Amino acid sequence: MGDIENDAAGQAEAEAGEDIPEIELIIKASTIDGRRKGACLFCQEYFMDLYLLAELKTIALKITTVDMLKPPPDFRSNFDSTPPPILIDAGVAVLENEKIERHIMKAVPGGHNLFVQDKEVAGIIENVYSKFKKMLIKKDELSKNSLVSQLTKISQHLEGKANRFLTGDTMCCFDCELMPKLQHIRVAGKHFAEFEIPSSLEALWRYMGQMYTLDAFTTSCPADQDILSHYKMQQGTKMSRREELETPTYTNSVPGPQ
């Protein structure tokens, strides 16, 4: 297993000494090199949640990657076949996504502030990923239009609220859930289905551009190559040797004003 340095967590720990708890999050490693961050959506979502708390100095955060293609013996003995994400708090392992989310909300200092109740936002982001997955399979105009329709609803919400983020001017759990999915839609959609998020969705692009400037997203974001590898493995194919040897790239550009 490999450690990823976390500047926000390290700084918080140094300033607060032993007063703040250390939270460890074990995430899936890259399926290409087995060391850097992999393209697991839940791993990135909880990484972002916890990174925001580390920036607020309520916790110190340690991120550990594990190569699930060749899990080390200590991982197998401790967690059997349970895949990451796995949260470790005071030596106690929290498994399963719903339990991790609940633990961050209820037990991690400051975590309750991330979990905003907003039925409207929950509704507009709920189906975006399932529509994306359907488009990857069908690759037809109907599925592409369905995804664009959902993205348009998100863009209209952002435009109507005039906030930096989905529920206000500070990030919350919904942002940590949505933005990793938008990155997958952007990178994998273009590669596998020639799909691009319309540049006319200006509010959505402003939102994405804002997220690209934030450490919580950029520190947790997998490389483009790892996102592509994630979906190739789902389709039963593999990255070519040339693709595996590519220098990792991170798509973070946004279209100019229309």
Side-chain angles (χ1 to χ4, degrees):
M1 294 193 285
D3 294 346
I4 295 177
E5 291 299 323
N6 189 314
D7 292 337
Q11 182 182 357
E13 195 170 24
E15 292 179 5
E18 299 300 318
D19 295 333
I20 59 175
E22 180 179 87
I23 304 291
E24 180 179 5
L25 183 68
I26 300 175
I27 64 174
K28 291 179 182 175
S30 162
T31 52
I32 295 174
D33 75 353
R35 294 187 301 276
R36 63 179 183 249
K37 300 178 295 286
C40 165
L41 285 168
F42 286 110
C43 293
Q44 187 180 3
E45 177 182 344
Y46 303 143
F47 191 156
M48 289 179 68
D49 284 332
L50 293 168
Y51 193 98
L52 291 171
L53 297 179
E55 286 186 319
L56 294 172
K57 301 177 174 56
T58 65
I59 63 167
L61 177 59
K62 177 183 179 183
I63 298 293
T64 303
T65 59
V66 61
D67 183 357
M68 292 307 292
L69 300 178
K70 300 174 186 174
D74 62 332
F75 180 84
R76 288 199 299 267
S77 61
N78 288 330
F79 306 112
D80 194 20
S81 58
T82 303
I86 296 169
L87 185 149
I88 300 177
D89 185 356
V92 178
V94 183
L95 314 177
E96 301 176 22
N97 295 333
E98 288 185 6
K99 292 179 180 177
I100 291 173
E101 191 169 302
R102 193 178 308 119
H103 187 86
I104 295 173
M105 178 169 59
K106 301 280 190 183
V108 175
H112 64 281
N113 293 318
L114 293 174
F115 289 85
V116 177
Q117 300 296 315
D118 193 316
K119 288 185 178 179
E120 180 186 356
V121 170
I124 61 172
I125 73 172
E126 183 180 18
N127 296 323
V128 68
Y129 188 68
S130 61
K131 291 189 174 186
F132 164 64
K133 291 295 291 290
K134 186 174 182 179
M135 185 204 69
L136 283 186
I137 296 169
K138 293 188 173 290
K139 298 178 183 157
D140 61 3
E141 288 305 308
L142 189 63
S143 61
K144 290 181 181 180
N145 289 339
S146 178
L147 177 56
V148 168
S149 175
Q150 198 69 34
L151 293 171
T152 300
K153 290 177 183 177
I154 297 171
S155 191
Q156 288 172 340
H157 168 84
L158 290 164
E159 193 164 13
K161 296 290 186 182
N163 296 324
R164 293 172 67 203
F165 304 109
L166 287 168
T167 62
D169 287 326
T170 56
M171 285 177 63
C172 72
C173 60
F174 293 122
D175 300 293
C176 298
E177 177 184 348
L178 177 63
M179 187 58 197
K181 293 176 180 177
L182 291 176
Q183 188 71 358
H184 281 228
I185 290 170
R186 183 177 190 188
V187 174
K190 183 173 183 178
H191 182 88
F192 294 107
E194 297 181 353
F195 175 85
E196 297 198 38
I197 298 173
S199 58
S200 59
L201 300 182
E202 293 184 17
L204 182 61
W205 277 111
R206 277 197 302 273
Y207 172 79
M208 293 175 68
Q210 176 78 37
M211 297 295 281
Y212 286 140
T213 69
L214 300 178
D215 290 343
F217 180 75
T218 58
T219 304
S220 63
C221 186
D224 297 345
Q225 289 80 359
D226 288 306
I227 293 175
L228 299 182
S229 176
H230 175 79
Y231 292 99
K232 285 196 174 188
M233 290 185 72
Q234 287 187 358
Q235 297 168 3
T237 60
K238 289 184 177 181
M239 300 285 277
S240 69
R241 187 66 180 151
R242 178 187 60 79
E243 289 173 320
E244 289 186 346
L245 293 172
E246 286 178 355
T247 301
T249 56
Y250 299 84
T251 297
N252 61 5
S253 59
V254 296
Q258 297 297 295

